[in-house]
Amino acid sequence: MAVGDTFGRRTPGSEFHDRLGVCTAPRCDRVYVDVSPNGTRRFCSTACQNRVKTAPFRARTRVE
């Protein structure tokens, strides 16, 4: 499936070409359109964001 097909026929040459991104979470290769006002989205979903941010928290608070 082409990127243009995924995002409703918005091709990389359209006004949204600079808003396409790839999720930065490990083991995730999803592509998303960043619709945030400042264009700084890093994750495709809150599930990926929570997984990435929870791992360091658990490592810091783990009692050994």
Side-chain angles (χ1 to χ4, degrees):
M1 180 180 296
V3 172
D5 293 338
T6 304
F7 297 114
R9 301 285 176 202
R10 291 193 171 105
T11 59
S14 75
E15 63 184 288
F16 297 102
H17 75 281
D18 59 339
R19 293 294 188 139
L20 293 177
V22 178
C23 186
T24 59
R27 298 179 309 225
C28 182
D29 59 355
R30 291 182 183 166
V31 177
Y32 60 85
V33 175
D34 185 356
V35 293
S36 65
N38 57 359
T40 58
R41 185 172 171 179
R42 292 178 42 213
F43 303 103
C44 64
S45 67
T46 54
C48 281
Q49 180 180 4
N50 288 340
R51 192 170 36 254
V52 168
K53 293 184 179 240
T54 301
F57 172 77
R58 288 184 180 160
R60 284 192 310 268
T61 60
R62 187 175 297 141
V63 178
E64 295 184 27

